[in-house]
Amino acid sequence: MQFKPESSPIMSSPLKALVEFLRLIYAKCYRKVVRECNQQMSYAIRRLLRAAMCVFSWFVMPYSQCVSGRIERRKLPPIEDPLLLLSATVLAERIRKREIRSEDVVRTYIQRCQQVNPLLNAIVEDRFEAALEEAQEVDRQLAKGTLGPAEELARTKPLLGLPVSIKESLAVEGMSNTAGRKLREKKVALSDAPVVHQIKRAGGIVLLVSNTPELCLCWETYNQCTGLTRNPYNLQRTAGGSSGGEAALIAAAGSLLGVTTDIAGSSRLPAMFTGVFGHKPSPYVVSPYGHHPSCDDENWGSFFTPGAMCRYAEDLPLLLEAMRDPEGTPVTLHKPVPIGALKCYYMENDGPSGLTRPIDADIVQAIRDVAAHLNAQRVNLKRLRWTLDISVCKMLRMKNVETIYSPQANGKPDTTMKREVFKYLLGMSKSDLPSVMIGPMQHIVNNYIPQSRLDFLDAQTEKLRKDFIDLLGTDGVFIYPGFPNTAHRHYRIFHKLVDTTYMMVFNTVGLPAASCMVGFDREKLPIGVQIVAAPGQDHLIFAVAKELERRFGGWVAPV
């Protein structure tokens, strides 16, 4: 007869219970050991990074001081045309009603670009003549009445006749699309990115493409093709990155609406540094495709998204509505939101991370002022201590992100990591430091970090996402710093890289977030704070942005 374990007296119920008890004890001890090992590893990494940032600052600070000191502190020409001070929402309505001409609006913005760009260096390539012709055609069709009634146009073509600037890394047919990379032959977009197609479909007129760092891999905007973009409030300060060209132009009233991108704060940090509004939408509300650099990882659209930038809070829903992917994540953008009914929460820093620098006193005070105005409750989300670990590991594990080391048409890369690092150290590389270092960083994360560590961080990511969703629900917002300081001198981001995790974390967990202008610091530089909501609740952010603009004044022209 076949032996049956369950009938054996050795496997009696008491013994089975003991075996199960010992198994649970072992599993608990194993989890505890893994958790402690991960915490020790995190502690070691933090100390190593803090030391590295400190040492790096010894080289960065003198170089930054030298470069910034050579830039003349000139002021931008004053804004004289009143059209530049009207919101896109107001201008669109007046164009539809033929109270003003699209040609006049577009021409006014072209003239402003020509005034300020020699100081800002924010434009890669313009299409001013073509834009004027398109504006004239809009005026002709409106005069003939062939486009339909104004009420219908407000729904079908909400941006009709308005000038829009596009970050150069997003494809605009016939325009430069190098993303700041120095190539043998200039890369020209053969077709529009989906988001650009949506902008044109909504009646927007593309005015220009704006400057980015090489391959959008830096939080400051400079490259070896177009050069350095400067902050309109102080030319010796950075405009941030990687959407620094858009931010500088919009803040200087050289652009009305800007289409940006955001993979780690690339829309929010420049907006914060230049005193405008920059929004990272919920994942897949806007199509993430048609961008250079590209990526075919299945999680790309959860981490990366085109974003919206403007000077006036009421224009955020207008622009995002036009940018929306018809087949993307559904979201309600114009739903009325009673501010008094919102549940508001805030934190002044990332808690016990032990890694990021202290938040400047002026920014802390601004957060407290915002929290007091919104009657926000202070909270402590302890898992934010893992922000750096989870964000960096998730981003660097994306598969097939386009870099200078990616295979070309012949199946081989143009360069190798060892060769490019060596060339950079000798001052012979055609690429900038972030582009050179992205390869070695990817190699380290993908080959030398234990799988148990990566599994632990993935679990923390999901838990942190759940923490936020449970906290915010469908009627809550979170107030948080975007960066520890206001706009610093050029190139000083390199010893502050870990501070970008204040923004990157919301890409990692897939939440919408916006940088909102709330005042100036003692050096007369703009202060911005982040407003965050649960996925799909972008309209809550827009409502808060509009309230903060009403209370704290919003954008102020550089003087």
Side-chain angles (χ1 to χ4, degrees), residues 94-107:
R94 293 188 180 182
I95 289 172
R96 290 192 297 267
K97 293 180 178 179
R98 297 181 58 204
E99 295 174 358
I100 56 175
R101 298 189 305 168
S102 172
E103 180 185 357
D104 292 336
V105 175
V106 171
R107 190 180 299 279

Side-chain angles (χ1 to χ4, degrees), residues 8 151 176 270 354 433:
S8 172
E151 296 78 11
S176 173
L433 180 61

Side-chain angles (χ1 to χ4, degrees), residues 201-214:
R201 185 179 179 183
I205 297 173
V206 177
L207 202 59
L208 55 90
V209 289
S210 60
N211 204 22
T212 77
E214 186 178 20

Side-chain angles (χ1 to χ4, degrees), residues 10 57 67 73 81 100 118 127 130 158 167 213 237 257 316 322 433 454 539 558:
I10 298 177
S57 71
V67 171
R73 282 204 62 174
D81 195 314
I100 56 175
R127 56 187 305 277
K167 188 176 180 178
R237 305 286 178 133
L257 300 170
L316 283 172
L433 180 61
L454 297 176
H539 64 289

